[in-house]
Amino acid sequence: MDIWNYLEYAAWILSVVFGLYILIDWFKVDSTYSEELLTSSREGELEAMTEKHKL
Amino acid sequence: MAKASQAAAPAVEKISLLRVLGPAHVWALGVGIVLVGEYMGWNFGVGKGGAYAALIACWFAGLLYTCVAMIDSEVTSTVAAAGGQFTQAKHIVGPLMAFNVGLYLVFAYTMLEAGNAITIGFLVDTVANMAGHSGIDQRPFIILSIMFLAWLNYRGVLATLNFNLVITAIAFIAVILLFFGVAPWSADSPLKHADLMAGDAALPYGWIGVVAAMHFGLWYYLGIEGTTQAAEEVRSPARALPFGTMAGIITLLIAATLTWYVCAGLMPWEYLGQAGVPLFDAGRLSGSTTLMVLLGIGTLFSTLASANGCINDASRAWFGMGRDHYLPAWFGAVHPKFRTPYRSIIFLVPVALVFALGAPLDQVITFSILSGLLEYTFMPINVILFRKKWPLDTIKRGYVHPFHPLPALVLLALCAVTYFAVFLGYGTQLIAMVGFYIVVSLWFHFWRYRFVKRGDQFTMPWPRPRGY
């Protein structure tokens, strides 16, 4: 065992930690908020309010 | 359950992506995706036709991408929405083109992300070998790079692109320092252009080698068009997108020229044409340990920045398609706290992992380049239709590109040359890729299109197109 073997193990562990963080947060968000709210984003709303496209 | 959900939800009725980015982030996104092409990949063009062929490819590809940047800057300064060219196609050409362009974007960026992750594994292996440790397992480093960057993207766009800004700037400065380090103006300079490029070494395969080198000329700039994916998250789209994109292409033209100049003057074309990490090799040949370490760090940082930008761009394109029901609307969700397209980011993680762990690097990169090339072919058609349907006196643009339609025609001609160049080396993949897009287009036309909300997808407050 040398430093490179330890680095391999560290990389596996960190990969699992980042993956678990994402999965747990995904589950929490989807079970806390309504689907209607999560998919409420609409394209171009800011432009419709602020840009009149007048020359 | 619905009541509980409503109670837990914040007071806002709608959530959207955060508008927090400035021109520097747009620059970091565009240059960050591309700069890895200077650190590796472009030099395979030297193997196809010699150093002069790679330089000619560098110039012609530079012209191609300058046209791309100008055209993109004009159109996207008016179509400021996530999805970039997908949203442009939806408004200007039509739904089938938009579906195809969306897929080009997702494939180009996800394949490039996978290629970058493979490269990170290779770099760790190289460093371990230099340190005397052979036979390292590359897989945990490939997976870690994808998982870490996916986590960063999941947590928020500002931190993601601040990270890209720092590491991209370091990688770019490393190229500049290498140029000054080899001191071309000095009599003691290690550069030997006259010796290395004389006689048969000038154009070893003649002019057909120059055409073949065009395929790899794209590597100097591939991905700069990704700046448009930040359109819905920049504070001032009409200003930040053209400014960030044009600054990005200028940066890349400088970096590409310096890279070619230093590498071609340090290494014979036979070696340079197959080198895995040419700029790192140039750092080693400069005789300076500091430059060697700096270029090593630059290689790693440019690879990370590219993968990071690719996750950002692919997820925005997928998100945009989901939001418009070109794909299941489930993908159009925004994280209520981090304000990122979190489901699209998550969905593309296993796709990138499968290709990074199961496919060879050259195949992965070729599929990325081919998808990018199809996208560049769409751009001139797009801008010609845009100017025809909405002339300059009908819509306010943040930037107006000059000499229209010349850049569009030049771009179209250069794309044709590059298709031929790709066909010379990867004809089977080119045909397979076109076949794939024909099949998915049929699926979209006969099945998926019924789910698209046709009236809702035109969101820009533009006047009626001329002639309609």
Side-chain angles (χ1 to χ4, degrees), chain B residues 408-453:
Chain B
L409 298 175
V410 169
L411 178 55
L412 210 53
L414 290 171
C415 282
V417 173
T418 313
Y419 276 119
F420 180 64
V422 173
F423 184 77
L424 290 178
Y426 294 89
T428 311
Q429 287 89 337
L430 180 62
I431 292 166
M433 194 99 213
V434 172
F436 167 76
Y437 283 115
I438 290 172
V439 170
V440 292
S441 294
L442 291 172
W443 173 78
F444 177 77
H445 180 78
F446 289 110
W447 175 253
R448 185 68 216 175
Y449 186 53
R450 72 189 65 181
F451 301 105
V452 174
K453 291 185 174 178

Side-chain angles (χ1 to χ4, degrees), chain B residues 204-219:
Chain B
Y205 301 118
W207 287 100
I208 193 71
V210 176
V211 175
M214 266 303 285
H215 175 194
F216 295 100
L218 298 189
W219 286 47

Side-chain angles (χ1 to χ4, degrees), chain A residues 2 21 25 30 35 41 43, chain B residues 133 154-155 335 342 459:
Chain A
D2 64 8
Y21 176 95
D25 187 76
D30 278 13
E35 190 64 18
S41 166
E43 180 184 287
Chain B
H133 180 101
Y154 186 94
R155 292 270 305 174
H335 196 291
Y342 69 111
T459 58

